[in-house]
Amino acid sequence: MTDLTLYEAHPLLIFKFMNYTDRITIEPGKRSGKPCIRGLRITVQDVLGYLEAGMTVDEILDDFPGLTEDDILACIDYSNVEKRK
């Protein structure tokens, strides 16, 4: 799925950009060192997978009450930066 398709599927996300560095953490002993949200056991890839599967931001937030909208936006930002490397 391209970034544009993701934004088309979730149009409100395109209006708010953020810096992911204060929200995305990598710890060797947690989730095999995959990028996680604020030290939680929820990975960036988990969140992106939910969005790609068609879940709305509200559905993700309902399923994971510890997450915030900014956490989800940070996952998208992180993914976009990693794709450019």
Side-chain angles (χ1 to χ4, degrees):
M1 177 175 275
T2 66
D3 296 334
L4 181 60
T5 304
L6 180 61
Y7 286 134
E8 288 172 343
H10 304 283
L12 295 179
L13 297 179
I14 199 166
F15 297 108
K16 184 174 183 182
F17 294 97
M18 65 178 316
N19 186 335
Y20 67 85
T21 57
D22 61 339
R23 292 187 179 267
I24 305 301
T25 59
I26 298 173
E27 300 175 41
K30 191 173 285 180
R31 294 294 303 263
S32 301
K34 295 178 184 172
C36 292
I37 302 166
R38 292 183 289 112
L40 302 172
R41 298 190 65 78
I42 302 169
T43 67
V44 169
Q45 193 57 44
D46 291 339
V47 172
L48 296 176
Y50 300 141
L51 290 170
E52 289 175 357
M55 287 182 76
T56 66
V57 171
D58 287 337
E59 289 172 332
I60 295 170
L61 296 176
D62 286 344
D63 284 354
F64 300 95
L67 294 183
T68 66
E69 182 179 306
D70 283 345
D71 293 331
I72 294 171
L73 294 173
C75 290
I76 294 168
D77 187 39
Y78 179 86
S79 174
N80 289 333
V81 169
E82 288 299 305
K83 287 178 185 175
R84 286 186 234 131
K85 287 185 177 179

